[in-house]
Amino acid sequence: RAAFGSVLLFASLMIPDQNVFGAVWIGNIFMHTNMKDSFGASLISAKSFSRSIITTTAVSTPIAYFVSTLSTNTASIIFPFLVLAASFIIMTCPQLASRNLMILCMYIAVAAPVRKAVEWWMPIGFMGTYHIGLAIAVLVNISNFALDSVYSLLSRQEKDLTMLLLECKVYADNTGKHPEKARTAMATIELLTKRISTTTKRLKAKLPAATLELSLRCRSKATQDLAEWTKQSELLIGPLKNIRTSLSQRVIGEEYSAYSQDLRKTKVMIGQEVGPARDRMIDAMIAAIAVCHAWANPLAQQTVLPDVQGELEMAISECRHSFNEAMAIAAEHLDASSTPIFAHLTRRMCAFNALFEFGDSLLGYLKEHSWEVEEVFQEDEHNAHHKTNPCACLFGNLREFVVYLEQNWLWHNPDSLRLALKTSVGMFLASMFVSVPYLWTISSPFGIWPGLTIASVNLASTGSSFAKAADRLFGTLLAAAFALLVSDLFPGSNTDYAKLPAIGVFTYIIIYLRSAEHAYKYTYAATSIGAMLYGSSKSNLNVAAYVPKRIELIFLGVVIFGFVELLLFPRSSRRLVETSTLEAFCCIRDYLKQASHCTRRMEHHIEHSSAAHWNKDRDALFFDDAEDPYHLDRLATCQKMLKSACNKLKKELESGIDEPNMGLSMALHPGGFRGLSLELCECELQSLLLLKSLQKTASFYHQADHPMKKKMNWPGVHAEFLDDISSKSESACRWLEYAFPDGRLRPQQGNTLKSVTGAAAFRQIEEVRLRIIEGWSRNYALDQEEWRKTPAQSRDPVAMMALGITTTHILELCRRYQAAGRYVEMVVQNFPTTK
């Protein structure tokens, strides 16, 4: 498609002898940029680009006309300042798409009349060329619809969800009986969870294109159903990941007795007690998934959908009851010393809770829809009237235009302001090759290329910008070599019979070889070949003379960019990665402190409420904040700070790894920092799950007559766990702050040994995990004794499961935190040695 589009563009604008539509090579850039994977995606992109091109041209045309009325000397003097101002406005304008390319449009239009006389309508001709490129990008995708991909993705998602639920059944049936089959099922569950997550992300990415295509077919109801199911699919990913995590993790102590007779008996007993109810629930979930997909799929063939809501609701309720009874029976035959078995019970609690969450999410979605007798594709007359109502369409477009104009300008964001300033200054310096006579003599008639290079490679982060600059140079050399080869094979030829096939063949090969890691160098090579063979318009271009000059001027643009990036507006992604890593560790420390504080307040609340002299007025005095007596809002704030640090680390990581060190600092260790980013982000996820568990636990203790208040003080147990891990975290972070006084995870002042000591402090967390398992086993056994003495009507199995899940999240947070410390050791071990 890319090769056909390039050939079609150059054939339509170069073969005719016309001088209206210039800058064909930029039209080729817009064609490649809008070449998406479907008709709908290309049309959405083309609409956005068209609006931006028209806006940029509307601003640039008066400026170009003003410059054309001036003398050459006057125009040369004010041209850099006009470019400076226009570039800043474009880079801070929120309404423009791909602002770097809009600077190209502006620069071409404004620079043209500085050194030669041009017609006033030339910027409008450029705009026509760009729109021809956009139209060709949409045209070549005319038979490639996003709806076909959505149909395939929904079918794959349905099959994978069904297989995953069946594998859960296989795992539960064979654990304790056939370990090899259970391990195979576990591996399959991990694979299917990853595939479902990937499919859901792709489905969400294709939703706008599919929505547009459905709207063109007047299928608004199908659009709404597809959007609702896509949103629901994202909600299902969380429970699926929890199922995968709970089945794949091994709590300390469990692996040493994985094949013990007692543990096997416990697994078999739980399977026997829960098996029938679990199978019924899984079958109901599979039926519900089939119904949801049949309704959401815009190309499905089913016409009548069965009612599965009632069966799913009853199956979930029955399975919950059976599981709670099975856990009570298992605990009845154990004593407090059965640590590995209690570890297995902890994992089972988390796995079944995730399965129940999955079922509840499906059930909630089913309750919002009623499909028993509806046809999948039926559209009522009322919706059809609104789709064809011109007034509604007009007002809808008007509202969209108002929203388009009301966006806030980007100079309020520090990162966007820095990007706009460095782009403007870079364009100001590059414009000297047009305005300064000596530099124009050197670069004539291609003095705009340094500015075009700066506009193209300038990104927000230093590492990404340098990587893109290197890719641009490589792509230029690749296209230059091929262009010179074509000119040598067909010397003195300005005919099209050789150039057009050469453009098509080269574009096809380059796009076919394009990789995701460095896609820009291949795309730029494909967009450059036409400019090197043809130039901006039909002319007798000397390829052998033009190609070296183009390479020279692009290299000059990269040099100017490096000067602006490193000296005038320095911003190191490596520094941000080093600081955000230590910041994340400190945020985890603060989060654990606050979690311990919250659970202590729960503990004091239970002690006071169980006292004989307790009254509500005294309780209100003890807890000064009636709306948040346990200070869980403060814990949520700590979790948000941790999320912010982890997001910053993920955002800057790859740019920091790619950032050149110029021999002045040490490059980031790729494996160590990628592992750190992964584990710290997992810590952030577990901190969110732990927060939700504590909020759920707090909701039970807010109820005056809840049976949990009359049982043992579980928040006190959780507080002991969190105090233990918090003290170890405090010790490890103190060592890190001592080893890295400037807050950056890097070698400094011979700190290698101190850094190793600080990183090794995280190994102590393994002892904490062992103590947590031991304390959980002991207290759970005692609690089950009270459970059996409690009447059935006074029990709350959901609350009991929430307590076990809270412990599981604490253990998983500890495990991930300890793993992050291991990666700190990996990073530190690569520090240079000093005398």
Side-chain angles (χ1 to χ4, degrees), residues 312-520:
L312 180 60
E313 189 170 11
M314 292 179 59
I316 293 175
S317 177
E318 179 186 351
C319 189
R320 270 201 172 101
H321 177 75
S322 299
F323 177 72
N324 294 319
E325 291 296 327
M327 296 297 286
I329 295 173
E332 185 176 356
H333 297 87
L334 303 175
D335 54 37
S337 62
S338 304
T339 300
I341 300 180
F342 277 104
H344 177 72
L345 296 182
T346 303
R347 290 200 302 110
R348 278 303 177 94
M349 280 186 175
C350 192
F352 269 90
N353 179 73
L355 203 58
F356 293 148
E357 285 183 357
F358 184 85
D360 289 337
S361 182
L362 275 178
L363 185 61
Y365 182 76
L366 290 171
K367 287 181 177 179
E368 294 177 359
H369 303 80
S370 179
W371 302 325
E372 293 83 1
V373 293
E374 296 186 37
E375 293 186 1
V376 175
F377 296 137
Q378 187 175 2
E379 296 279 354
D380 58 35
E381 296 181 359
H382 178 72
N383 286 338
H385 170 73
H386 279 283
K387 288 195 289 282
T388 58
N389 190 341
C391 294
C393 181
L394 177 62
F395 282 112
N397 291 332
L398 181 61
R399 283 195 301 269
E400 183 180 352
F401 182 71
V402 171
V403 172
Y404 174 76
L405 294 178
E406 287 181 345
Q407 301 179 56
N408 293 326
W409 284 70
L410 301 179
W411 57 56
H412 299 290
N413 187 314
D415 291 337
S416 300
L417 178 60
R418 173 187 172 274
L419 177 60
L421 287 174
K422 73 171 186 174
T423 304
S424 304
V425 172
M427 294 298 297
F428 176 83
L429 297 176
S431 64
M432 297 298 177
F433 285 87
V434 177
S435 60
V436 177
Y438 175 72
L439 296 179
W440 173 251
T441 303
I442 296 174
S443 60
S444 176
F446 312 112
I448 61 173
W449 275 107
L452 300 181
T453 300
I454 290 175
S456 299
V457 304
N458 216 5
L459 300 176
S461 58
T462 302
S464 300
S465 297
F466 272 99
K468 191 173 183 180
D471 288 346
R472 187 178 181 91
L473 283 175
F474 181 86
T476 301
L477 294 175
L478 197 61
F482 185 80
L484 291 174
L485 177 63
V486 172
S487 65
D488 288 341
L489 290 176
F490 305 94
S493 173
N494 194 38
T495 57
D496 302 306
Y497 74 90
K499 293 182 179 180
L500 289 177
I503 291 174
V505 171
F506 182 80
T507 303
Y508 177 85
I509 295 175
I510 288 298
I511 298 300
Y512 181 80
L513 296 176
R514 181 171 58 186
S515 62
E517 185 176 0
H518 292 281
Y520 179 71

Side-chain angles (χ1 to χ4, degrees), residues 20-73:
V20 176
F21 301 109
V24 180
W25 54 274
I26 295 187
N28 193 33
I29 292 176
F30 279 110
M31 191 274 296
H32 279 274
T33 305
N34 287 270
M35 186 75 64
K36 306 301 181 181
D37 58 356
S38 66
F39 171 78
S42 294
L43 186 56
I44 290 174
S45 179
K47 288 171 61 178
S48 177
F49 270 86
S50 176
R51 187 166 50 189
S52 300
I53 290 171
I54 293 174
T55 303
T56 305
T57 304
V59 175
S60 303
T61 301
I63 299 176
Y65 178 76
F66 171 70
V67 173
S68 67
T69 62
L70 303 175
S71 64
T72 300
N73 291 335

Side-chain angles (χ1 to χ4, degrees), residues 251-253 339 717 720-728 763-779 807 810-811 814:
V251 184
I252 292 180
T339 300
V717 177
E720 291 180 5
F721 298 161
L722 291 168
D723 284 343
D724 202 354
I725 179 61
S726 179
S727 64
K728 299 302 181 185
R763 298 192 180 195
Q764 303 174 20
I765 297 177
E766 185 167 355
E767 301 175 4
V768 177
R769 294 165 60 198
L770 284 168
R771 287 195 291 268
I772 291 175
I773 285 292
E774 182 182 359
W776 161 251
S777 301
R778 181 177 60 255
N779 287 282
T807 307
I810 294 174
L811 286 168
C814 292

Side-chain angles (χ1 to χ4, degrees), residues 165-166 168-169 278-287 355:
L165 292 172
L166 292 175
C168 288
K169 187 189 298 186
R278 179 205 63 223
D279 293 347
R280 179 186 178 186
M281 182 180 68
I282 288 178
D283 292 339
M285 288 180 182
I286 293 174
L355 203 58

Side-chain angles (χ1 to χ4, degrees), residues 734-770:
R734 275 202 305 266
W735 269 107
L736 292 179
E737 291 172 348
Y738 173 63
F740 308 102
D742 62 351
R744 296 176 59 186
L745 186 58
R746 61 166 184 163
Q748 49 187 297
Q749 302 174 1
N751 65 338
T752 302
L753 292 179
K754 291 185 288 186
S755 303
V756 170
T757 304
F762 289 94
R763 298 192 180 195
Q764 303 174 20
I765 297 177
E766 185 167 355
E767 301 175 4
V768 177
R769 294 165 60 198
L770 284 168

